[in-house]
């Protein structure tokens, strides 16, 4: 039997292969035992799911196992965005949450994200303890369960609707009046996922016209992974391009913790740029101040914005849990990742795709400019950045050679001397001209990720080519 292993964000598995009722119950029991060992079991857990196949069934099975250990479940009444679950953990002061989601992975995956009482994704020491407990139980019937009706009667399961409280919190963070006054028409693509009835509803309530696509539940996600990246939202790009009234396109991933943004003409704006634009906007226009954070794989465009405004920058390993930790400690104003995750001070310590989309709508409304115009203004102030990420399928050969290749980095790459090596996650090589490459194994998909950044498009091509050849060679 394959061991249970938590990756960058939660335990993910393929349906029937390792994502089975049996394993879900074992992991739930491991979480129940972990909570008991910490003495926080009386606070209960939020239990939710995304829009994947049988999400509610997994949530119910988990609630039965938690009830078997005397732990109360607050079960969400429909598929629910990850940031909303995070918010509800904080609001109800529960011991955390169990959330059934494989986020942006293809439809044949499901996953279980565990968050402790901070509301953010569990840190490695917590997931290690849960893994150890779960793996020690594999292959045995070692969990206790309670029939669902009995658990309801005993008050150990309660159904909740977390939407209204989250809406209230979001209204304190976003200038909905400005969005409403803009008179914009906004395209919205929840990618068949959990943002249905959240992002569209909030925008409609602000008074703008919303045109939606893919806003029904489809566990196949239209045949593509529910990731709002340029290659996966071609239908949305065509819709925004062909509809002259639409001034902005906003998409979210399956569990609504990631965002995907289109300019009014349908041009996809990379998350690295959105993060830099929002950081600049929050400081320059909203008048806020504080540190900023990004993962090691994220563009140094954010560093340039931080320098420009005299802010301190924190660099973390990949995984929003590390940025979430800084938000929980109230150390940063905004933190984000190249994989389209961000959150802000005094909000949840997890990525919030809904919030990111709404802040972009506010920025466009207040500034009265297209995203590309805002980007060229920012380039004018801090310089240009060109960044790309490539995924290379992890073949058995690559699996074997990958770690070895990074042990001793070469002296130079693409004819440029490597000035510094950073190993907080994978291996990142920095060059004197500000360009860099990073190699690391994904913790959510069977791929090696190659990231590169340069100050011109031509230089980026050269570096990606050299990095690719190095890793495949
Ligand atoms: C998860 C994590 C993110 C991370 C992303 C990619 O996102 O929450 O912090 O950046 O995976 O990780 P990796 O490169 O290791 O695959 P999500 O939206 O899938 O939960």
């Amino acid at each position: 039997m394959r061991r249970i292993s938590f990756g960058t964000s939660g335990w993910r598995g393929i349906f029937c292969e390792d994502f089975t009722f049996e394993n879900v119950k074992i992991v739930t029991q491991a979480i129940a035992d972990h909570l008991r060992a910490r003495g926080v079991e009386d606070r209960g857990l939020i239990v939710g799911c995304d829009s994947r196949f049988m999400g509610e069934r997994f949530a119910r099975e988990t609630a039965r196992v938690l009830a078997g250990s005397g732990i109360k479940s607050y079960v969400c009444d429909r598929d629910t965005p990850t940031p909303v679950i995070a918010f509800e953990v904080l609001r109800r002061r529960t011991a955390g949450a169990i959330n059934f989601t494989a986020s942006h992975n293809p439809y044949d995956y499901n996953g279980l994200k565990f968050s402790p009482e901070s509301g953010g994704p569990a840190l490695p020491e917590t997931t290690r303890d849960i893994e150890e407990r779960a793996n020690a139980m594999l292959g045995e019937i070692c969990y206790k369960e309670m029939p669902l009706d009995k658990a309801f009667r005993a008050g150990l399961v309660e159904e909740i609707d977390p939407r209204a409280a989250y809406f209230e919190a979001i209204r304190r963070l976003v200038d909905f009046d400005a969005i409403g006054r803009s008179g914009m028409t906004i395209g919205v693509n929840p990618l068949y996922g959990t943002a249905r009835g959240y992002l569209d509803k909030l925008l409609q309530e602000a008074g703008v016209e919303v045109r939606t696509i893919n806003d029904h539940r489809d566990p196949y996600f239209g045949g593509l992974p529910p990731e709002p990246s340029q290659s996966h939202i071609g239908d949305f790009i065509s819709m925004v391009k062909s509809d002259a009234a639409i001034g902005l396109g906003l998409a979210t991933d399956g569990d609504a913790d990631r965002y995907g943004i289109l300019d009014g003409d349908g041009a996809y704006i990379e998350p690295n740029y959105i993060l830099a634009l929002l950081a600049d906007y929050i400081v320059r226009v909203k008048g806020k101040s504080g540190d900023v954070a990004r993962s090691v794989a994220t563009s140094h465009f954010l560093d340039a914005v931080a320098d420009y405004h005299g802010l301190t920058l924190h660099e973390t390993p990949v995984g929003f849990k590390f940025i979430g930790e800084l938000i929980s400690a109230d150390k940063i104003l905004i933190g984000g990742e190249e994989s389209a995750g961000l959150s802000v001070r005094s909000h949840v310590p997890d990525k919030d795709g809904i919030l990111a989309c709404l802040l972009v709508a506010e920025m466009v409304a207040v500034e009265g400019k297209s995203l590309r115009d805002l980007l060229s203004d920012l380039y004018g102030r801090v310089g240009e950045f060109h960044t790309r990420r490539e995924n290379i399928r992890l073949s058995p050969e690559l699996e074997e050679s990958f770690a070895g290749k990074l042990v001793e980095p070469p002296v130079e790459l693409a004819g440029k001397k490597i000035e510094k090596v950073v190993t907080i996650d994978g291996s990142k090589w920095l060059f004197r001209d500000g360009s860099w490459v990073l190699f690391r194994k994904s913790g959510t998909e069977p791929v090696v990720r190659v990231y590169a950044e340069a100050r011109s498009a031509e230089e980026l091509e050269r570096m990606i080519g050299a990095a690719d050849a190095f890793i495949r060679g």
Side-chain angles (χ1 to χ4, degrees), residues 8 12 103-104 258 320 337 339 351 440 442-444 449:
T8 312
R12 296 185 193 188
S103 194
H104 67 290
R258 298 187 185 203
F320 206 82
E337 292 190 293
S339 58
K351 312 188 292 247
R440 58 177 286 279
S442 158
T444 63
R449 301 209 195 278

Side-chain angles (χ1 to χ4, degrees), residues 111-124:
L112 183 155
K113 288 186 180 176
F114 172 69
S115 305
E117 61 268 41
S118 69
L123 285 161

Side-chain angles (χ1 to χ4, degrees), residues 7-9 12 101-105 113 121 253 255 257-258 295 318-321 337-340 350-351 389 425 440-445 447 449 451:
T8 312
S9 183
R12 296 185 193 188
T101 174
S103 194
H104 67 290
N105 287 67
K113 288 186 180 176
D253 76 339
D255 63 330
D257 59 355
R258 298 187 185 203
S295 75
V318 173
F320 206 82
K321 52 200 171 203
E337 292 190 293
E338 54 72 43
S339 58
D350 205 343
K351 312 188 292 247
R389 180 182 89 182
D425 193 339
R440 58 177 286 279
K441 244 161 81 171
S442 158
T444 63
E445 299 175 79
V447 298
R449 301 209 195 278
Y451 310 79

Side-chain angles (χ1 to χ4, degrees), residues 118-260:
S118 69
L123 285 161
E125 62 264 28
T126 299
T127 51
R128 223 172 291 128
D129 181 65
I130 295 168
E131 274 171 8
E132 273 165 24
R133 290 174 190 274
N135 286 319
M137 290 189 262
L138 280 185
E140 298 169 37
I141 305 285
C142 48
Y143 43 83
K144 300 179 238 64
E145 318 175 69
M146 188 184 278
L148 208 57
D149 52 349
K150 189 169 167 202
F152 263 109
R153 282 199 306 275
L156 286 170
V157 177
E158 183 183 328
E159 202 173 80
I160 59 162
D161 175 0
R163 207 164 66 144
Y166 172 80
F167 274 22
E168 216 174 283
I170 280 286
R171 286 195 192 101
R172 288 195 290 270
L173 292 170
V174 177
D175 185 349
F176 281 99
D177 290 341
I179 296 176
R181 276 196 309 270
S182 73
M184 259 192 294
T185 297
I186 299 183
V188 169
N189 178 9
L191 267 170
Y192 312 99
T194 54
R196 304 174 338 274
Y198 278 86
L199 182 56
D200 49 349
K201 191 85 177 42
L202 282 160
L203 288 167
Q204 277 156 354
E205 283 181 13
V208 293
E209 185 172 337
V210 175
R211 302 206 176 146
T212 50
I213 183 173
N214 305 328
D215 63 339
H216 62 278
R217 184 170 178 177
D218 172 9
Y220 285 106
F221 301 110
L224 285 171
E227 181 182 12
S229 57
Q230 186 165 15
S231 53
H232 293 151
I233 55 169
D235 53 355
F236 189 43
I237 293 176
S238 305
M239 169 180 148
V240 174
K241 263 191 184 148
S242 62
D243 188 338
I246 295 182
L248 182 67
L250 304 174
T252 43
D253 76 339
D255 63 330
D257 59 355
R258 298 187 185 203
Y259 59 89

Side-chain angles (χ1 to χ4, degrees), residues 98 196 208 265 291 346:
I98 293 181
R196 304 174 338 274
V208 293
D265 62 357
D291 295 5
S346 80

